[in-house]
Amino acid sequence: MKKTADSNPKVYRNYFRQRTANQWHKIEAEVGIPGAIRPFLAGNWKMNMIPLSGVALTARILDICRGIRDVDIGLAPPHTGLSTLADYIKPDFLRTEYGLGRNVFLLAQDTFFESKGAFTGEISPEMLGAIGVDRVIIGHSDRRANLGKYYGFASSVARRLTDSFLSDKLKKLKAKDGADAQVIATLEYLVAKENHELLSGLTRFLEEELRERAGESDQSIQLKIQAALGQGLQVILCCGENREARLANETFSLLDRQLRMAFEVVSPRAVSEVIIAYEPVWAIGEGAKPATLEQIKEVHDFIRNLIMDLYGEQTASNIRILYGGNVKPDNIVDIMNISGVDGALVGGASLKANDFASIIRFGLNT
Ligand code: PGA
């Protein structure tokens, strides 16, 4: 016999945040209490899974999560898998097959900001909406910071900063009429023997800068947020510092910049359509360690206070702030117990049915 929500009732822990003395507290609340914050567990498959494997993975996850209606579940296949998955997770089917409600959301991993035109390879919010996408991830650090190195921008700059490249340029410039004297002087300075250290320092600096610049910028993220909200898509806005910023004690100033820029284009009415994901770049991916519970709490409090600054207390209380970066079955309970954490954006573990299902079921295991 097929198991359903009724034959297998589950009482999920729900969450209600209260704010007292400048601290957000999470208390257990009755399921369905108005104002309860529904946890949101979202799996970002990144560039993995062909469409049919994605459906098979989803079927295995949902099979383990039968009857769970008190959390929101998000699945973010690559663009090529969206349409097939959209057909599979139709609410009526999920209700009869798995005893789920309308709590499974289809997420896209990115969007372009123009609606149509000569933008080869890009996909617009309209196109995503048309195939049933509910929410779109914007500003993921894989895109903000890391893409540049794959496209080779940084290494092409590094090549230009070698001694031989610069000496050659210098020779050619000197031979040229009307060459800029200051450029010649700078190159002479750089290729002088005693400046090797300066040169390699400069290379590293430029590589780092380019890696950042070549990916998503705060400006393109703004445009994407605006375009997605304009098309009725909800936004999962990612923010987070890289290792260098954390070590230089610049975490909060960087987050402040990322978030203020992003929310500049979000009106007080539209802010309920935005979910924030705090994803420290250094905590993401295989081999990295998740942020500590203290670090997560400190940053989530900072973000919520920033939202309070921008939109007031009610909005700050309602907005969901997720954590991402090596969320696994063995740390999800501790992470979800942090007062300001409303869910998780999960990469690697979301590709394993058992792991992602136990992350979704975190509230049943405590
Ligand atoms: P991870 O990825 O869970 O594999 O660390 C998280 C993310 O990039 O969203």
Side-chain angles (χ1 to χ4, degrees), residues 246-262:
R246 163 98 12 208
L247 293 176
N249 282 327
E250 286 166 2
T251 299
F252 295 117
S253 56
L254 188 137
L255 285 164
D256 191 83
R257 187 203 80 211
Q258 288 181 341
L259 289 168
R260 280 184 197 277
M261 287 262 328

Side-chain angles (χ1 to χ4, degrees), residues 258-334:
Q258 288 181 341
L259 289 168
R260 280 184 197 277
M261 287 262 328
F263 278 99
E264 228 171 61
V265 295
V266 182
S267 71
R269 265 185 51 215
V271 73
S272 59
E273 305 303 314
V274 180
I275 294 167
I276 300 171
Y278 167 55
E279 298 213 311
V281 181
W282 48 271
I284 290 177
E286 224 169 293
K289 283 208 175 69
T292 65
L293 301 179
E294 292 71 32
Q295 287 168 329
I296 299 174
K297 166 142 184 52
E298 190 182 39
V299 172
H300 277 236
D301 282 351
F302 173 83
I303 295 174
R304 208 173 289 285
N305 282 322
L306 185 91
I307 297 298
M308 187 157 64
D309 233 33
L310 296 173
Y311 298 97
E313 179 151 359
Q314 190 62 38
T315 303
S317 151
N318 289 339
I319 198 163
R320 284 189 284 189
I321 308 177
L322 319 179
Y323 166 75
N326 269 284
V327 173
K328 306 282 179 211
D330 63 4
N331 60 20
I332 183 69
V333 174
D334 288 340

Side-chain angles (χ1 to χ4, degrees), residues 44 46 140 142 279 283-285 324-328 345-349:
N44 174 10
K46 308 193 177 184
H140 192 282
D142 288 352
E279 298 213 311
I284 290 177
N326 269 284
V327 173
K328 306 282 179 211
L345 184 52
V346 185

